[in-house]
Amino acid sequence: MTQPTPEPKRLPVHVGIIMDGNGRWASQRGLPRLEGHRRGAERLIEVVDAAIDHGVRCLTLFAFSAENWKRPAEEVGGLFKLGEWVLRLHLHRLSKRHVRFSTIGDITAMPEFIRIPLEEAVAASKDNTGFELVIALNYGSRQETVKAAKQLAADAVAGKINPDAIQWDDLANRLETHGLPDPDLIIRTSGESRLSNFLLLQAAYAEIVITPTYWPDFGAEAFGAALQEYAKRERRYGMTGEQIRPTTQQS
Ligand code: IPE
Ligand code: IPE
Ligand code: MG
């Protein structure tokens, strides 16, 4: 870890990562796309360790989107096998670091060979408090929002909630991320400037850092550089810069 850790108030509590560019990393080298995914999976633990070491409290990794089912079946199957391999390989280490493990997205649609170990890992780590690792699997922000809206509608019909009184928190509490702080920083690798249906509502005021690095080349150093970039940003939440910096000396 050669990048210094920003001072605590300039450190994000929750970081989300859109891990992109495995396919291009592979094709640049004349390798099959799955080889890019394999190399990307190998790097994953390094970034988790870096997040813990820097003092970040929560990391959400976008591993498979609800739209990624549109890819060739062979690639989808290969991704799930890699997911299961990574989980088996690192679970012990993560539990030693007191990591609480959870998922967002519809994992009921995942094959059993990955769904069962995932559910076991979530159950086994539920009392850990050291670090929150969230894997977004078969996740889509719009799908999550529709599900929450359906719950709100059902509660309204059942008379449990008055539609006129609905606030943002009522919706947020029905999202799969309920209980987690909103992401402060979203990192996207591979240079694409889009969110691709990742935490759209939760990221309303997140800082976004886009790096040209492909995910298989993104490690502890690059994660530290993203934290440094975040530390330079001024978050305003609709206010003016002067309101955000009330201690600035006026002449
Ligand atoms: C990210 O890499 C992995 C997943 C989306 C599952 P890609 O496979 O999207 O790589 P590119 O964008 O084609 O390079
Ligand atoms: C987003 O990457 C999904 C994940 C990283 C899991 P994609 O590669 O699927 O996104 P698009 O299609 O380029 O927007
Ligand atoms: Mg991609």
Side-chain angles (χ1 to χ4, degrees):
M1 198 169 79
T2 53
Q3 291 280 353
T5 299
E7 58 175 306
K9 72 176 197 310
R10 300 226 148 253
L11 190 68
V13 173
H14 181 180
V15 178
I17 310 185
I18 303 171
M19 307 184 289
D20 196 17
N22 295 349
R24 279 163 285 166
W25 182 93
S27 56
Q28 262 189 355
R29 289 161 178 78
L31 298 168
R33 289 179 61 85
L34 265 176
E35 185 56 19
H37 294 315
R38 195 182 65 76
R39 292 295 289 266
E42 275 178 6
R43 291 306 290 268
L44 205 138
I45 195 71
E46 185 183 327
V47 174
V48 176
D49 275 333
I52 300 173
D53 293 342
H54 280 290
V56 169
R57 300 291 303 169
C58 178
L59 185 67
T60 300
L61 297 175
F62 201 9
F64 189 82
S65 79
E67 289 76 27
N68 286 147
W69 292 101
K70 295 175 194 161
R71 296 187 179 203
E74 195 193 346
E75 180 168 341
V76 171
L79 276 165
F80 293 164
K81 281 200 192 108
L82 276 169
E84 190 265 338
W85 171 73
V86 171
L87 190 66
R88 219 163 4 93
L89 194 65
H90 300 304
L91 205 55
H92 181 64
R93 174 184 176 74
L94 291 175
S95 73
K96 282 216 307 213
R97 298 208 76 179
H98 311 290
V99 171
R100 199 174 105 103
F101 194 78
S102 61
T103 62
I104 53 172
D106 180 13
I107 69 160
T108 62
M110 309 294 288
E112 264 192 14
F113 74 85
I114 178 157
R115 184 174 52 77
I116 291 173
L118 268 172
E119 286 170 348
E120 285 172 356
V122 171
S125 67
K126 71 177 181 11
D127 296 324
N128 289 350
T129 53
F131 183 82
E132 192 92 34
L133 179 61
V134 185
I135 308 295
L137 258 184
N138 192 19
Y139 172 81
S141 193
R142 286 184 168 179
Q143 292 83 343
E144 175 193 40
T145 307
V146 167
K147 215 168 107 187
K150 281 183 183 168
Q151 285 175 20
L152 268 181
D155 287 348
V157 168
K160 291 185 200 157
I161 192 163
N162 171 4
D164 284 334
I166 292 173
Q167 304 282 324
W168 160 244
D169 278 350
D170 298 308
L171 184 67
N173 288 336
R174 288 165 175 82
L175 295 174
E176 295 189 59
T177 49
H178 63 89
L180 295 173
D182 281 344
D184 303 291
L185 167 64
I186 301 281
I187 301 170
R188 182 161 189 153
T189 61
S190 91
E192 304 298 348
S193 306
R194 55 179 175 264
L195 289 171
S196 303
N197 208 10
F198 183 55
L199 301 179
L200 301 181
L201 296 178
Q202 298 88 335
Y205 273 100
E207 293 297 323
I208 299 176
V209 169
I210 292 163
T211 159
T213 308
Y214 292 145
W215 175 253
D217 289 330
F218 188 92
E221 184 71 20
F223 183 80
L227 293 184
Q228 288 298 324
E229 169 65 30
Y230 172 84
K232 287 189 227 147
R233 303 278 179 92
E234 181 176 79
R235 302 181 74 185
R236 292 197 189 143
Y237 305 98
M239 291 177 268
T240 68
E242 289 70 25
Q243 286 174 297
I244 295 295
R245 288 174 259 107
T247 53
T248 306
Q249 292 291 318
Q250 305 284 322
S251 57

